[in-house]
Amino acid sequence: MASSRVWAGIAALLVASTLVGCAAAATDPLPAETTPAAPVTEPSASAEPEPVASDVLFTLDAKVRSIDGRTIGIRMEGHQPVVFDNPEVAELTDQYVTACAEGTGRTPIDEAYLQRYGATLMRVDFISDTPGLEFASPIELWFGNPYMARAAIGGAVIQPPDIDNCFAGYAWAISDNAYGIASFESPSGVPDDTLWQLGNYGFSVLPETNATIESCTATITELGMASGLEDVDGWDPSRAGTGVFCGIGYAGE
């Protein structure tokens, strides 16, 4: 990912609009696990646990800096996916379909599409302990399967200029709370609420910005482990922090 991803005019974009769209480009791999100077990765056992909702599968906690040098605590919470036509996620479904209707440009995404592929929807929260600050560098957001459309909801989250589809990539620029909606499609058409295990989740910054992501802590909840996650390669919290990346996810066979 080239430095052009640190988009010009971020402040103007945020003041001008509240954006709805989707996360992480369809062909982008996870950032390389580089080792910048003195990254700090804390084991989850040393972190003071914070309460989470009963449907949370995992959390990622880290510290970043604001543009004026203040420390900001950030968190990602991944919730148990639910079949798209479940009334409990009706609002998420409406938001996802509205944001991602264009689909690939040739294949639109609507409720018939979600039905055909037995889609489940996963809410992923992006939470800050200090709202209203501009991050020292926009934080790229990774959530869901990189080959499927995802939506991001909230005025603190931005896309590259002139991009308006669900495969564009998203960054978190202001420390207000936001959330994403990841869709998981089943090749058989039968909904499968374990497909989230093939996703990637995390925060990253471009190394050339000199921004860092510190004190990265990954925690998989009892619910997450009960889904059979320990049998999936790549879900190792010890690889969570690199100084410019904080995340977990599927690493392949």
Side-chain angles (χ1 to χ4, degrees), residues 11-163:
L13 285 171
L14 291 171
V15 171
S17 61
T18 297
L19 300 175
V20 176
C22 305
T27 58
D28 283 353
L30 276 174
E33 295 195 9
T34 57
T35 307
V40 179
T41 302
E42 297 175 353
S44 57
S46 67
E48 185 66 26
E50 297 182 19
V52 296
S54 60
D55 68 336
V56 169
L57 299 163
F58 65 85
T59 62
L60 289 167
D61 291 277
K63 295 186 184 300
V64 296
R65 299 285 180 172
S66 68
I67 199 168
D68 61 3
R70 282 181 278 182
T71 299
I72 305 170
I74 59 172
R75 164 174 281 202
M76 179 179 289
E77 289 184 355
H79 297 262
Q80 174 70 35
V82 180
V83 179
F84 82 95
D85 58 0
N86 187 315
E88 293 181 2
V89 295
E91 183 176 1
L92 284 185
T93 299
D94 289 345
Q95 291 174 330
Y96 180 78
V97 169
T98 298
C100 300
E102 181 183 346
T104 64
R106 290 191 289 179
T107 304
I109 293 176
D110 54 19
E111 292 199 20
Y113 175 94
L114 299 179
Q115 183 71 49
R116 184 161 66 250
Y117 290 103
T120 54
L121 298 180
M122 177 185 194
R123 176 170 172 142
V124 183
D125 290 320
F126 317 126
I127 302 166
S128 161
D129 66 4
T130 311
L133 300 179
E134 182 178 350
F135 292 120
S137 176
I139 299 168
E140 295 194 341
L141 298 169
W142 302 85
F143 61 99
N145 187 309
Y147 302 105
M148 296 178 188
R150 286 139 296 159
I153 310 297
V157 184
I158 60 173
Q159 284 182 305
D162 303 321
I163 296 295

